[in-house]
Amino acid sequence: MAKLKLEIRENAFEIFEIKNRLSLGREVKNDVILLDGIVSRTHAQVYRDEEFFVIEDLNSANGIYINGEKILLRSLEEGDIIQIGKTTLSFSLDKTDEPKMLVDLINSSLEKYDHKSIVEAPDLHFRFPSKTEIMEQVYEIAQEKFKLLEGLSSIEKGKLFNILHEAIGNAQRHGHKNKSYLPIEFRYTAQKDKLIMEVTDQGEGFNYRAQLRGKEGVTAIEAARKRYLEGGYGGLGIILMLACVDELEYNSVGNQITLVKNLNSTKPPLSPETQSTHPSALPQACDKI
């Protein structure tokens, strides 16, 4: 899958899949809307040309830069950094293989599968209905799988369990509105240097952009804190997830979240300037989601 990756805020990204063509610009009719005054209404397009993916400047006022070089038309390569106005995107050819194991709990029970094989599989895909009792079975297996991960402390593994619980719970409550017949998809991929967890629901998605960007000068963290103190929800779980993982990605619809945790590495310490606005400054720590 070819995709553009747009950073919404630090370590949080929006993913746009490139099937045939994507338009980029300031107008709402574009596939990728760039809210930047120096971006043209219809600034650029990315499209497939046989086996290549090409980016083209559509007579914009301020141009396009690829890896620091101004271009009019160019084929994209893995890892290219695209600069349009104040917005930075990256291009990727995600060559993810099919999962090695599928655990389908829609029409069969967990007892059908070999428990040891599920726990030890580094790459597997769960499909299960939005039923709490089945979700609990998935949580228990995930917890066993986390125990096998190397390069993480027991506290970090506990945090992974909590954010997965949050992501799948959100799919049930908010994505599916507690419609138990709708399936949740959960893919677990443990690579040498990172763990990738992808949760997809069948709902219409939600406006994660507003939750992450904040409004009218209020940061996303401040807005989440305010909703939390008022007894509401929306945004807090996302911010807490960001405190526990190295990358968080949403698809453009908002019904798929990908959580990436680097293994055998630690995050750098926070500077004094960012400590007051970092997710850890929220009224809860990520291990208490």
Side-chain angles (χ1 to χ4, degrees):
M1 178 184 76
K3 62 185 181 181
L4 292 181
K5 188 173 179 178
L6 169 64
E7 188 167 15
I8 305 172
R9 52 160 291 161
E10 186 179 4
N11 297 333
F13 301 88
E14 184 171 9
I15 303 300
F16 297 91
E17 182 179 355
I18 309 168
K19 295 180 179 179
N20 293 307
R21 178 184 178 276
L22 283 180
S23 61
L24 301 90
R26 201 173 70 244
E27 285 191 344
V28 295
K29 68 179 183 180
N30 289 289
D31 300 303
V32 184
I33 303 169
L34 306 177
L35 301 178
D36 182 347
I38 65 174
V39 172
S40 298
R41 290 185 176 88
T42 304
H43 197 106
Q45 64 176 349
V46 177
Y47 57 91
R48 184 167 194 153
D49 184 7
E50 296 183 352
E51 72 270 29
F52 298 102
F53 290 89
V54 176
I55 186 166
E56 179 182 5
D57 189 321
L58 299 177
N59 298 315
S60 68
N62 293 293
I64 303 170
Y65 292 83
I66 306 292
N67 305 326
E69 179 184 353
K70 192 171 185 179
I71 63 96
L72 294 176
L73 180 72
R74 212 200 82 169
S75 61
L76 291 167
E77 299 178 0
E78 175 71 31
D80 275 347
I81 303 300
I82 305 164
Q83 189 75 35
I84 299 178
K86 298 176 183 177
T87 301
T88 301
L89 305 100
S90 60
F91 173 76
S92 176
L93 283 168
D94 191 352
K95 299 179 180 178
T96 305
D97 295 330
E98 289 296 315
K100 299 294 188 292
M101 185 175 186
L102 173 65
V103 179
D104 193 336
L105 304 179
I106 299 297
N107 298 309
S108 62
S109 66
L110 190 61
E111 286 71 27
K112 172 186 173 182
Y113 298 90
D114 180 68
H115 184 81
K116 186 173 183 290
S117 297
I118 294 175
V119 172
E120 295 180 352
D123 184 11
L124 77 162
H125 190 122
F126 287 95
R127 288 187 77 244
F128 51 93
S130 302
K131 295 180 179 180
T132 301
E133 61 271 22
I134 298 180
M135 290 163 55
E136 290 295 337
Q137 293 179 334
V138 175
Y139 295 146
E140 290 177 8
I141 292 172
Q143 195 164 32
E144 291 185 66
K145 295 181 73 63
F146 293 148
K147 290 178 181 178
L148 300 179
L149 291 174
E150 297 181 358
L152 295 177
S153 67
S154 59
I155 292 176
E156 288 175 308
K157 293 175 183 179
K159 291 177 179 179
L160 287 176
F161 175 80
N162 287 326
I163 61 173
L164 177 62
H165 198 285
E166 175 79 2
I168 292 178
N170 284 342
Q172 178 199 42
R173 295 188 300 274
H174 308 311
H176 292 167
K177 305 292 190 289
N178 292 308
K179 297 174 182 175
S180 61
Y181 61 88
L182 290 174
I184 296 173
E185 310 268 347
F186 166 44
R187 182 167 182 181
Y188 176 104
T189 307
Q191 300 177 353
K192 183 178 180 180
D193 59 343
K194 62 186 174 182
L195 172 68
I196 304 170
M197 297 190 293
E198 181 182 278
V199 177
T200 308
D201 63 61
Q202 311 306 313
E204 298 178 353
F206 81 109
N207 190 1
Y208 57 87
R209 304 169 191 85
Q211 310 293 358
L212 286 166
R213 285 174 173 149
K215 299 177 181 179
E216 299 176 357
V218 178
T219 67
I221 295 173
E222 291 167 344
R225 182 187 289 114
K226 183 174 185 293
R227 285 190 293 273
Y228 168 79
L229 293 174
E230 292 174 349
Y233 66 86
L236 180 62
I238 300 175
I239 303 302
L240 292 173
M241 287 181 196
L242 276 169
C244 301
V245 298
D246 295 282
E247 285 189 20
L248 180 151
E249 298 177 357
Y250 272 101
N251 67 352
S252 58
V253 176
N255 65 353
Q256 182 182 88
I257 185 171
T258 302
L259 304 162
V260 181
K261 177 66 177 178
N262 293 335
L263 305 177
N264 302 305
S265 67
T266 56
K267 289 186 177 183
L270 298 174
S271 66
E273 293 77 13
T274 59
Q275 284 180 358
S276 62
T277 58
H278 191 264
S280 60
L282 283 165
Q284 291 174 293
C286 74
D287 54 339
K288 298 180 180 179
I289 290 178

